[in-house]
Amino acid sequence: MYTLFHHPFCPHSRFVRLVLGEYGLDLRLVEERAWERREAFLVLNPAGTTPVLSVEGMPAVPGVGVIAEFIDETCGPEMGDRRLMPATPAERIEVRRLMAWFNDKFFEEASNLLVTERIYKRFMNEEDGGGPPSTDVIRAAKTNVRYHLAYIGWLAQRRNFLAGDRLTYADLAAAAHLSAIDYLGDVPWIEDDAAKAWYARVKSRPSFRPLLSDWLAGVPASRTYVDLDF
């Protein structure tokens, strides 16, 4: 049994949920509001960020990159053609490059900003950074979404999946970040048909169903969020 300390709309947590779903691993979810800096959570991850994976008999596995490598090392070799990290060094470089693009660059420039301003700040105390959302930050982040969506579309036009011929960590990372902001209606799908078609394929996978069941009181999901034929 795997236990994931997460927030339902944390893009990094969503990535880990998709990975574990693709591998068919049993998962227990524990919601964590990282901004509260709960002492027991800081013991698991002194950085105070989600996600953190807990596995019986192992130290806590903190952070999206460490978790991805841990899952690949411990579960990947048994998955055969379903392994989410390719076999050759060159292919693995490309997957890791794109994982970093989405889990670092896209996160910093778009998904984390939108989720923080439009979701997290609703629940934060003022001393933790809560308050009304910044329209300037939201505007800048939405502009950055368009840039990243165009890059996804460029990749999708040239490859079967983002990093190559088959599904990898790269696809799940990109889809996880898009899903969090698609809930908010902040992905301009009309601007890139290739990106939209790729996302529809990933979104239709069984591993995605639990994410599409997530909802936030007072913030309804966008029309496209649960629609597989959007």
Side-chain angles (χ1 to χ4, degrees):
M1 171 66 72
Y2 296 79
T3 298
L4 185 69
F5 294 85
H6 81 125
H7 189 280
F9 291 94
C10 163
H12 291 156
S13 299
R14 287 181 158 231
F15 167 70
V16 175
R17 290 168 65 189
L18 289 174
V19 170
L20 294 174
E22 287 291 328
Y23 282 178
L25 300 173
D26 292 331
L27 178 63
R28 183 174 74 96
L29 294 173
V30 177
E31 183 172 336
E32 188 68 41
R33 296 184 174 186
W35 57 87
E36 294 179 353
R37 299 189 62 78
R38 190 170 60 89
E39 184 175 351
F41 180 66
L42 292 175
V43 171
L44 297 176
N45 182 14
T49 56
T50 52
V52 175
L53 187 67
S54 175
V55 184
E56 186 175 356
M58 298 290 292
V61 189
V64 64
V66 180
I67 293 173
E69 295 294 341
F70 171 77
I71 294 297
D72 182 63
E73 290 172 358
T74 57
C75 302
E78 302 174 1
M79 300 307 297
D81 291 342
R82 293 175 52 217
R83 188 172 186 174
L84 294 168
M85 185 68 80
T88 71
E91 291 174 315
R92 294 169 79 89
I93 287 170
E94 180 65 354
V95 170
R96 288 189 172 105
R97 182 187 74 82
L98 290 173
M99 282 176 60
W101 180 283
F102 297 113
N103 285 334
D104 298 339
K105 186 176 178 63
F106 190 15
F107 180 75
E108 293 170 2
E109 296 177 351
S111 62
N112 184 49
L113 298 176
L114 290 167
V115 170
T116 298
E117 293 298 325
R118 300 191 58 188
I119 295 179
Y120 294 165
K121 288 177 73 171
R122 297 169 61 92
F123 303 99
M124 290 178 173
N125 295 323
E126 187 174 351
E127 57 268 26
D128 295 327
S134 167
T135 56
D136 288 341
V137 171
I138 290 174
R139 186 181 304 110
K142 291 173 72 172
T143 297
N144 290 337
V145 170
R146 299 174 67 183
Y147 156 67
H148 286 281
L149 189 68
Y151 184 49
I152 290 170
W154 184 87
L155 291 169
Q157 286 179 320
R158 289 158 176 79
R159 302 168 175 178
N160 192 33
F161 287 95
L162 296 189
D165 291 335
R166 62 186 182 88
L167 184 83
T168 68
Y169 277 151
D171 299 280
L172 300 185
H177 289 265
L178 285 172
S179 71
I181 57 180
D182 186 39
Y183 182 95
L184 300 169
D186 288 336
V187 183
W189 295 115
I190 194 173
E191 294 188 6
D192 200 298
D193 289 340
K196 181 179 177 180
W198 161 84
Y199 183 68
R201 282 196 293 149
V202 179
K203 181 181 178 179
S204 298
R205 300 181 70 84
S207 63
F208 227 96
R209 291 171 190 163
L211 272 63
L212 299 181
S213 298
D214 289 340
W215 66 279
L216 184 66
V219 183
S222 70
R223 180 190 59 80
T224 61
Y225 184 68
V226 298
D227 185 0
L228 299 182
D229 297 318
F230 70 107

